[in-house]
Structures are given as structure tokens and as C-alpha cells.
Amino acid sequence: MSITIGVDIGGSHISSAAINGNDFVIIPQTYFSGPVDSKASKEVIIQKWAEIINQTIQAVQHTSDFVEKDKIGIAFSMPGPFQYESGIAMFEGNDKYEALYNVSISQELIGYLNTKNVSFRFLNDASCFGVGGCLKESATDAEKVIAITLGTGFGAAFLDHKLPITQGEDVPHNGCLWDKPFHNSIADNYFSTRWFLNEYEKSTGKKLTDGVKEIASIEDFSTAKIFDDFANNLTEFLAPFIIKFDADLLILGGNIAKSHRLFLSKVQENLKKQNIDLAISIVENTEQTSILGSSYLYNEVFWERIKAELPYF
């Protein structure tokens, strides 16, 4: 029996779970999550990651069909910048996990795990979310998918038959959208939590701290306009990429997507005006979807197809 553990690394958390490789669902009682101080030292960060992963390992080892010789594959949904093939972190100048710069995650982490009978694979977090979203939507006929995460940052993945596409004439460079120009800046500054907070402060003169959920709960003219502006910006920005990629499904995740009732209908209306016809799916649990997507790295057919083209950024 081979065991796969999916791990989602966020800017302030880690989540870990074992995955049933037959139907790609999380095995009950193996999901664990905890906060991480991304500004801590290398040792503190790695120890915290190991603490959560060890809880999943221990839960797996207590299952009736686990035997000592079973190798555990640990698959990471990892933000960039990161060398995904070598497993070396390149976090620098982005205000998170900078103590891990030029550190081999595999070499450091294995010293803190309860078992050494493990292997490691890594993929960009937005790509993992996209793969996980495709697995959840496997009953649909969608072949070409754009998956985006809307939260503290703006993540994106372009997928063709579940495969993340990072190069080619029909996708942006590295398959990323956060760094692409939009209006007077880059997309990340328009499709993230800080945009909402800045717009609310500009509109009302008040500062909020709880993010988009707090703004969504207010429901007055100011917040309605903010969500309308967001929808207009999002469709204006995404439309050319949707057309060029010929996408037939758009998957939305992240904390902002949880407030979709306030902007989704406007997005759909705007796309219809541009004669863009595609399905839109909302993923409520982005972390667990990313964990599912990362676990697919241990589908050997999938791994053989992507390992030579893992992004380096």
C-alpha cells in the first residue's frame, strides 16, 4: 500500500491530510491544520510544518491497512518563488518565509518527521488548487480550465485535461496572472484583500481589519459599489485570457470567493455581454481542494507528464 499526504502551505498556516488515491477524497481523521509565523526562523517554521504533518502521519499509521514498510509520499501545494523540481525555497523580498531562502525543504524537513520512509514532490499552490478543482469537477465535460484564488494574493492556473499549462501562445508567461499589468498597476493589487480594504477606506474614511468578510457583512451603498467595481475589473481583466485560452470552465476559490453572492452575477452578466460562454464554479474550501490537487502529484502518469516542465520562479 502506498500512502499519499497532501500539504497546503499558506502565508500564515499549514494544512495536511492523507488522500485516498482511488477516489481522491481526504481520509477521515487525517486532516490537521495550524497557524505558522511566516516571519519566524528557519527552525521554527520547519518544526511547525513537521508538527502538523506528523499528526497526519500518526493518524495514517493507526489505520488498519498500514504496514511499516509502506512508503509515504508527501506532496506540497507551495507558493512561489520556489524551485519546484529541486524543492528549494526561493522566498525573498515577499515578506513571508524569507528565513527559508535557498533552503532544501526535503533535507530540512525529514529530520523532524516521525518516519524517514518518505518522498517529496512540490507544485505551485495555484496549480494545485486548479488540479484539485478539476478533480472535483470531473463529472463535467470541461477540458480547458482557468482556476483563480482570490485572497491575500491573486493566484491563477491554466489547465488542459487537468495538466497545468505554464508556457505557450495561449497562456500568459509561467501561467501566472498576479504580475500582469492592469490599469495603473498589476493585477495582484486589484484582485486581493488589500484592494477591498483600500477601496472601503477611500469610500468611507474608515479602516477595517477583518478583510472582505467584514466588508461583505455591512451591505450598504458603499460596499455594493465596491463589489460591483471588483466584478467589472475582474471581467475586464480576465476576458482576454479566457478568450485566448478558449476556456470552458472558470473555478474561483479563496476567501474573497466566499462572498460570491455579491459579485458573481455581475461577472456572469459582463461575460455574457462579451459573448463569453463558460461555466463558473465556486470552491468553498480552497485549502482542502489544494491538498487534493497536490496529492495528484503521486499519480505517476500525471507526474511523468509535468515533472519536466515544473515552473522555476
Side-chain angles (χ1 to χ4, degrees), residues 235-245 274 276:
T235 43
E236 179 188 346
F237 176 76
L238 283 181
F241 296 103
I242 292 171
I243 293 168
K244 198 167 189 179
F245 190 59
Q274 298 192 51
I276 296 173

Side-chain angles (χ1 to χ4, degrees), residues 274-313:
Q274 298 192 51
N275 295 316
I276 296 173
D277 181 26
L278 85 167
I280 300 179
S281 175
I282 304 294
V283 171
E284 293 290 345
N285 196 315
T286 302
E287 287 175 32
Q288 291 190 16
T289 301
S290 295
I291 286 173
L292 288 175
S294 69
S295 76
Y296 206 59
L297 293 173
Y298 281 92
N299 175 308
E300 295 304 329
V301 174
F302 178 80
W303 179 246
E304 284 299 318
R305 293 181 70 181
I306 71 161
K307 68 178 183 180
E309 297 181 19
L310 290 173
Y312 178 104
F313 58 89

Side-chain angles (χ1 to χ4, degrees), residues 214-227:
E214 186 177 6
I215 295 173
S217 70
I218 296 170
E219 294 199 41
D220 58 15
F221 175 79
S222 294
T223 59
K225 184 177 185 308
I226 289 169
F227 278 100

Side-chain angles (χ1 to χ4, degrees), residues 147-195:
I148 62 174
T149 51
L150 302 160
T152 53
F154 179 39
F158 292 73
L159 303 108
D160 190 346
H161 292 84
K162 299 188 186 71
L163 288 174
I165 308 297
T166 59
Q167 302 295 336
E169 292 184 0
D170 58 351
V171 298
H173 178 62
N174 268 340
C176 292
L177 291 176
W178 70 271
D179 57 346
K180 304 305 180 281
F182 184 66
H183 289 186
N184 299 320
S185 186
I186 59 172
D188 201 59
N189 291 329
Y190 286 86
F191 308 117
S192 55
T193 301
R194 63 184 174 279
W195 180 87

